[in-house]
PDB file of all heavy atoms in Angstrom:
ATOM      1  N   MET A 315    -182.567  39.328 104.376  1.00  0.00           N
ATOM      2  CA  MET A 315    -182.726  40.456 103.468  1.00  0.00           C
ATOM      3  C   MET A 315    -181.471  40.650 102.617  1.00  0.00           C
ATOM      4  O   MET A 315    -181.551  40.898 101.400  1.00  0.00           O
ATOM      5  CB  MET A 315    -183.040  41.736 104.265  1.00  0.00           C
ATOM      6  CG  MET A 315    -183.095  43.004 103.414  1.00  0.00           C
ATOM      7  SD  MET A 315    -184.313  42.916 102.065  1.00  0.00           S
ATOM      8  CE  MET A 315    -185.843  43.156 102.973  1.00  0.00           C
ATOM      9  N   MET A 316    -180.304  40.527 103.232  1.00  0.00           N
ATOM     10  CA  MET A 316    -179.059  40.645 102.472  1.00  0.00           C
ATOM     11  C   MET A 316    -178.933  39.531 101.442  1.00  0.00           C
ATOM     12  O   MET A 316    -178.481  39.753 100.309  1.00  0.00           O
ATOM     13  CB  MET A 316    -177.854  40.638 103.423  1.00  0.00           C
ATOM     14  CG  MET A 316    -177.676  41.934 104.196  1.00  0.00           C
ATOM     15  SD  MET A 316    -176.126  42.027 105.124  1.00  0.00           S
ATOM     16  CE  MET A 316    -176.452  40.885 106.462  1.00  0.00           C
ATOM     17  N   SER A 318    -181.429  38.118  99.966  1.00  0.00           N
ATOM     18  CA  SER A 318    -182.395  38.443  98.910  1.00  0.00           C
ATOM     19  C   SER A 318    -181.816  39.449  97.923  1.00  0.00           C
ATOM     20  O   SER A 318    -181.995  39.314  96.703  1.00  0.00           O
ATOM     21  CB  SER A 318    -183.682  39.004  99.531  1.00  0.00           C
ATOM     22  OG  SER A 318    -184.315  38.036 100.350  1.00  0.00           O
ATOM     23  N   TYR A 319    -181.118  40.460  98.441  1.00  0.00           N
ATOM     24  CA  TYR A 319    -180.474  41.433  97.560  1.00  0.00           C
ATOM     25  C   TYR A 319    -179.375  40.778  96.733  1.00  0.00           C
ATOM     26  O   TYR A 319    -179.210  41.081  95.539  1.00  0.00           O
ATOM     27  CB  TYR A 319    -179.886  42.593  98.383  1.00  0.00           C
ATOM     28  CG  TYR A 319    -180.846  43.736  98.585  1.00  0.00           C
ATOM     29  CD1 TYR A 319    -181.599  43.852  99.753  1.00  0.00           C
ATOM     30  CD2 TYR A 319    -181.002  44.708  97.604  1.00  0.00           C
ATOM     31  CE1 TYR A 319    -182.477  44.903  99.946  1.00  0.00           C
ATOM     32  CE2 TYR A 319    -181.885  45.771  97.781  1.00  0.00           C
ATOM     33  CZ  TYR A 319    -182.618  45.863  98.957  1.00  0.00           C
ATOM     34  OH  TYR A 319    -183.502  46.912  99.133  1.00  0.00           O
ATOM     35  N   GLY A 320    -178.617  39.903  97.363  1.00  0.00           N
ATOM     36  CA  GLY A 320    -177.554  39.218  96.640  1.00  0.00           C
ATOM     37  C   GLY A 320    -178.080  38.361  95.507  1.00  0.00           C
ATOM     38  O   GLY A 320    -177.538  38.372  94.390  1.00  0.00           O
ATOM     39  N   LEU A 321    -179.177  37.638  95.771  1.00  0.00           N
ATOM     40  CA  LEU A 321    -179.756  36.768  94.752  1.00  0.00           C
ATOM     41  C   LEU A 321    -180.411  37.571  93.632  1.00  0.00           C
ATOM     42  O   LEU A 321    -180.504  37.106  92.487  1.00  0.00           O
ATOM     43  CB  LEU A 321    -180.783  35.833  95.401  1.00  0.00           C
ATOM     44  CG  LEU A 321    -181.217  34.599  94.619  1.00  0.00           C
ATOM     45  CD1 LEU A 321    -180.008  33.745  94.232  1.00  0.00           C
ATOM     46  CD2 LEU A 321    -182.208  33.772  95.424  1.00  0.00           C
ATOM     47  N   LEU A 322    -180.863  38.796  93.955  1.00  0.00           N
ATOM     48  CA  LEU A 322    -181.485  39.651  92.947  1.00  0.00           C
ATOM     49  C   LEU A 322    -180.462  40.233  91.978  1.00  0.00           C
ATOM     50  O   LEU A 322    -180.693  40.282  90.765  1.00  0.00           O
ATOM     51  CB  LEU A 322    -182.253  40.780  93.636  1.00  0.00           C
ATOM     52  CG  LEU A 322    -182.844  41.875  92.736  1.00  0.00           C
ATOM     53  CD1 LEU A 322    -183.888  41.276  91.785  1.00  0.00           C
ATOM     54  CD2 LEU A 322    -183.457  42.993  93.571  1.00  0.00           C
ATOM     55  N   TYR A 323    -179.316  40.658  92.496  1.00  0.00           N
ATOM     56  CA  TYR A 323    -178.341  41.394  91.690  1.00  0.00           C
ATOM     57  C   TYR A 323    -177.181  40.559  91.160  1.00  0.00           C
ATOM     58  O   TYR A 323    -176.361  41.068  90.400  1.00  0.00           O
ATOM     59  CB  TYR A 323    -177.775  42.556  92.502  1.00  0.00           C
ATOM     60  CG  TYR A 323    -178.790  43.633  92.824  1.00  0.00           C
ATOM     61  CD1 TYR A 323    -178.764  44.305  94.043  1.00  0.00           C
ATOM     62  CD2 TYR A 323    -179.772  43.978  91.904  1.00  0.00           C
ATOM     63  CE1 TYR A 323    -179.696  45.301  94.341  1.00  0.00           C
ATOM     64  CE2 TYR A 323    -180.703  44.968  92.192  1.00  0.00           C
ATOM     65  CZ  TYR A 323    -180.669  45.615  93.411  1.00  0.00           C
ATOM     66  OH  TYR A 323    -181.588  46.596  93.700  1.00  0.00           O
ATOM     67  N   LEU A 324    -177.086  39.287  91.562  1.00  0.00           N
ATOM     68  CA  LEU A 324    -175.968  38.449  91.116  1.00  0.00           C
ATOM     69  C   LEU A 324    -176.471  37.223  90.364  1.00  0.00           C
ATOM     70  O   LEU A 324    -177.575  36.734  90.637  1.00  0.00           O
ATOM     71  CB  LEU A 324    -175.141  37.970  92.319  1.00  0.00           C
ATOM     72  CG  LEU A 324    -174.392  39.012  93.141  1.00  0.00           C
ATOM     73  CD1 LEU A 324    -173.684  38.334  94.305  1.00  0.00           C
ATOM     74  CD2 LEU A 324    -173.393  39.778  92.295  1.00  0.00           C
ATOM     75  N   LEU A 332    -169.970  32.846  96.362  1.00  0.00           N
ATOM     76  CA  LEU A 332    -169.715  33.803  97.433  1.00  0.00           C
ATOM     77  C   LEU A 332    -170.216  33.280  98.782  1.00  0.00           C
ATOM     78  O   LEU A 332    -169.636  33.603  99.827  1.00  0.00           O
ATOM     79  CB  LEU A 332    -170.374  35.145  97.119  1.00  0.00           C
ATOM     80  CG  LEU A 332    -169.678  36.012  96.074  1.00  0.00           C
ATOM     81  CD1 LEU A 332    -170.500  37.251  95.774  1.00  0.00           C
ATOM     82  CD2 LEU A 332    -168.286  36.395  96.549  1.00  0.00           C
ATOM     83  N   ILE A 382    -178.115  44.428  84.699  1.00  0.00           N
ATOM     84  CA  ILE A 382    -177.576  44.734  86.018  1.00  0.00           C
ATOM     85  C   ILE A 382    -176.429  45.722  85.884  1.00  0.00           C
ATOM     86  O   ILE A 382    -175.439  45.452  85.199  1.00  0.00           O
ATOM     87  CB  ILE A 382    -177.086  43.454  86.721  1.00  0.00           C
ATOM     88  CG1 ILE A 382    -178.215  42.432  86.836  1.00  0.00           C
ATOM     89  CG2 ILE A 382    -176.543  43.776  88.110  1.00  0.00           C
ATOM     90  CD1 ILE A 382    -177.782  41.104  87.407  1.00  0.00           C
ATOM     91  N   SER A 383    -176.554  46.863  86.549  1.00  0.00           N
ATOM     92  CA  SER A 383    -175.484  47.856  86.515  1.00  0.00           C
ATOM     93  C   SER A 383    -174.346  47.412  87.427  1.00  0.00           C
ATOM     94  O   SER A 383    -174.504  46.538  88.277  1.00  0.00           O
ATOM     95  CB  SER A 383    -176.021  49.215  86.974  1.00  0.00           C
ATOM     96  OG  SER A 383    -176.395  49.153  88.340  1.00  0.00           O
ATOM     97  N   LYS A 384    -173.195  48.036  87.223  1.00  0.00           N
ATOM     98  CA  LYS A 384    -172.041  47.688  88.041  1.00  0.00           C
ATOM     99  C   LYS A 384    -172.291  48.032  89.505  1.00  0.00           C
ATOM    100  O   LYS A 384    -171.848  47.308  90.413  1.00  0.00           O
ATOM    101  CB  LYS A 384    -170.804  48.430  87.527  1.00  0.00           C
ATOM    102  CG  LYS A 384    -169.515  47.993  88.207  1.00  0.00           C
ATOM    103  CD  LYS A 384    -168.307  48.635  87.563  1.00  0.00           C
ATOM    104  CE  LYS A 384    -167.020  48.161  88.224  1.00  0.00           C
ATOM    105  NZ  LYS A 384    -165.812  48.734  87.589  1.00  0.00           N
ATOM    106  N   GLY A 385    -173.012  49.126  89.738  1.00  0.00           N
ATOM    107  CA  GLY A 385    -173.336  49.507  91.115  1.00  0.00           C
ATOM    108  C   GLY A 385    -174.183  48.466  91.818  1.00  0.00           C
ATOM    109  O   GLY A 385    -173.931  48.132  92.979  1.00  0.00           O
ATOM    110  N   LYS A 386    -175.182  47.941  91.113  1.00  0.00           N
ATOM    111  CA  LYS A 386    -176.031  46.907  91.711  1.00  0.00           C
ATOM    112  C   LYS A 386    -175.260  45.609  91.921  1.00  0.00           C
ATOM    113  O   LYS A 386    -175.505  44.879  92.892  1.00  0.00           O
ATOM    114  CB  LYS A 386    -177.251  46.658  90.813  1.00  0.00           C
ATOM    115  CG  LYS A 386    -178.259  47.798  90.825  1.00  0.00           C
ATOM    116  CD  LYS A 386    -179.481  47.475  89.985  1.00  0.00           C
ATOM    117  CE  LYS A 386    -180.502  48.598  90.053  1.00  0.00           C
ATOM    118  NZ  LYS A 386    -181.705  48.293  89.221  1.00  0.00           N
ATOM    119  N   TYR A 387    -174.326  45.325  90.996  1.00  0.00           N
ATOM    120  CA  TYR A 387    -173.492  44.134  91.160  1.00  0.00           C
ATOM    121  C   TYR A 387    -172.675  44.240  92.451  1.00  0.00           C
ATOM    122  O   TYR A 387    -172.564  43.270  93.216  1.00  0.00           O
ATOM    123  CB  TYR A 387    -172.564  43.964  89.967  1.00  0.00           C
ATOM    124  CG  TYR A 387    -171.705  42.719  90.010  1.00  0.00           C
ATOM    125  CD1 TYR A 387    -172.119  41.541  89.398  1.00  0.00           C
ATOM    126  CD2 TYR A 387    -170.471  42.722  90.673  1.00  0.00           C
ATOM    127  CE1 TYR A 387    -171.339  40.400  89.445  1.00  0.00           C
ATOM    128  CE2 TYR A 387    -169.687  41.581  90.735  1.00  0.00           C
ATOM    129  CZ  TYR A 387    -170.117  40.429  90.121  1.00  0.00           C
ATOM    130  OH  TYR A 387    -169.341  39.302  90.170  1.00  0.00           O
ATOM    131  N   VAL A 388    -172.111  45.426  92.695  1.00  0.00           N
ATOM    132  CA  VAL A 388    -171.321  45.645  93.917  1.00  0.00           C
ATOM    133  C   VAL A 388    -172.209  45.497  95.145  1.00  0.00           C
ATOM    134  O   VAL A 388    -171.807  44.888  96.158  1.00  0.00           O
ATOM    135  CB  VAL A 388    -170.652  47.031  93.886  1.00  0.00           C
ATOM    136  CG1 VAL A 388    -169.999  47.348  95.231  1.00  0.00           C
ATOM    137  CG2 VAL A 388    -169.624  47.098  92.768  1.00  0.00           C
ATOM    138  N   ILE A 389    -173.434  46.047  95.060  1.00  0.00           N
ATOM    139  CA  ILE A 389    -174.369  45.903  96.190  1.00  0.00           C
ATOM    140  C   ILE A 389    -174.679  44.427  96.444  1.00  0.00           C
ATOM    141  O   ILE A 389    -174.668  43.958  97.591  1.00  0.00           O
ATOM    142  CB  ILE A 389    -175.680  46.680  95.915  1.00  0.00           C
ATOM    143  CG1 ILE A 389    -175.404  48.189  95.912  1.00  0.00           C
ATOM    144  CG2 ILE A 389    -176.738  46.345  96.957  1.00  0.00           C
ATOM    145  CD1 ILE A 389    -176.602  49.019  95.506  1.00  0.00           C
ATOM    146  N   GLY A 390    -174.949  43.687  95.368  1.00  0.00           N
ATOM    147  CA  GLY A 390    -175.223  42.263  95.516  1.00  0.00           C
ATOM    148  C   GLY A 390    -174.034  41.512  96.086  1.00  0.00           C
ATOM    149  O   GLY A 390    -174.196  40.628  96.940  1.00  0.00           O
ATOM    150  N   PHE A 391    -172.835  41.869  95.636  1.00  0.00           N
ATOM    151  CA  PHE A 391    -171.612  41.228  96.128  1.00  0.00           C
ATOM    152  C   PHE A 391    -171.444  41.472  97.628  1.00  0.00           C
ATOM    153  O   PHE A 391    -171.234  40.536  98.414  1.00  0.00           O
ATOM    154  CB  PHE A 391    -170.409  41.772  95.355  1.00  0.00           C
ATOM    155  CG  PHE A 391    -169.092  41.144  95.731  1.00  0.00           C
ATOM    156  CD1 PHE A 391    -168.597  40.058  95.026  1.00  0.00           C
ATOM    157  CD2 PHE A 391    -168.340  41.642  96.790  1.00  0.00           C
ATOM    158  CE1 PHE A 391    -167.387  39.476  95.360  1.00  0.00           C
ATOM    159  CE2 PHE A 391    -167.137  41.075  97.135  1.00  0.00           C
ATOM    160  CZ  PHE A 391    -166.654  39.989  96.422  1.00  0.00           C
ATOM    161  N   LEU A 392    -171.548  42.737  98.038  1.00  0.00           N
ATOM    162  CA  LEU A 392    -171.363  43.085  99.446  1.00  0.00           C
ATOM    163  C   LEU A 392    -172.455  42.487 100.327  1.00  0.00           C
ATOM    164  O   LEU A 392    -172.184  42.025 101.448  1.00  0.00           O
ATOM    165  CB  LEU A 392    -171.327  44.606  99.607  1.00  0.00           C
ATOM    166  CG  LEU A 392    -170.140  45.327  98.957  1.00  0.00           C
ATOM    167  CD1 LEU A 392    -170.282  46.841  99.118  1.00  0.00           C
ATOM    168  CD2 LEU A 392    -168.818  44.847  99.560  1.00  0.00           C
ATOM    169  N   CYS A 393    -173.679  42.483  99.830  1.00  0.00           N
ATOM    170  CA  CYS A 393    -174.787  41.912 100.609  1.00  0.00           C
ATOM    171  C   CYS A 393    -174.614  40.412 100.806  1.00  0.00           C
ATOM    172  O   CYS A 393    -174.883  39.884 101.897  1.00  0.00           O
ATOM    173  CB  CYS A 393    -176.124  42.209  99.925  1.00  0.00           C
ATOM    174  SG  CYS A 393    -176.706  43.895 100.113  1.00  0.00           S
ATOM    175  N   THR A 394    -174.159  39.705  99.777  1.00  0.00           N
ATOM    176  CA  THR A 394    -173.974  38.257  99.891  1.00  0.00           C
ATOM    177  C   THR A 394    -172.856  37.922 100.870  1.00  0.00           C
ATOM    178  O   THR A 394    -172.992  37.025 101.707  1.00  0.00           O
ATOM    179  CB  THR A 394    -173.668  37.641  98.518  1.00  0.00           C
ATOM    180  OG1 THR A 394    -174.710  37.987  97.606  1.00  0.00           O
ATOM    181  CG2 THR A 394    -173.581  36.132  98.613  1.00  0.00           C
ATOM    182  N   VAL A 395    -171.733  38.648 100.765  1.00  0.00           N
ATOM    183  CA  VAL A 395    -170.633  38.430 101.704  1.00  0.00           C
ATOM    184  C   VAL A 395    -171.068  38.791 103.123  1.00  0.00           C
ATOM    185  O   VAL A 395    -170.772  38.073 104.091  1.00  0.00           O
ATOM    186  CB  VAL A 395    -169.389  39.242 101.291  1.00  0.00           C
ATOM    187  CG1 VAL A 395    -168.294  39.142 102.354  1.00  0.00           C
ATOM    188  CG2 VAL A 395    -168.852  38.751  99.956  1.00  0.00           C
ATOM    189  N   GLY A 396    -171.803  39.911 103.257  1.00  0.00           N
ATOM    190  CA  GLY A 396    -172.306  40.305 104.571  1.00  0.00           C
ATOM    191  C   GLY A 396    -173.274  39.296 105.143  1.00  0.00           C
ATOM    192  O   GLY A 396    -173.262  39.004 106.349  1.00  0.00           O
TER     193      GLY A 396
END
Side-chain angles (χ1 to χ4, degrees):
M315 175 58 76
M316 286 189 287
S318 297
Y319 270 97
L321 197 56
L322 173 63
Y323 293 144
L324 295 178
L332 284 175
I382 303 175
S383 66
K384 187 174 182 178
K386 289 183 178 180
Y387 183 93
V388 172
I389 292 174
F391 182 94
L392 294 176
C393 284
T394 304
V395 174

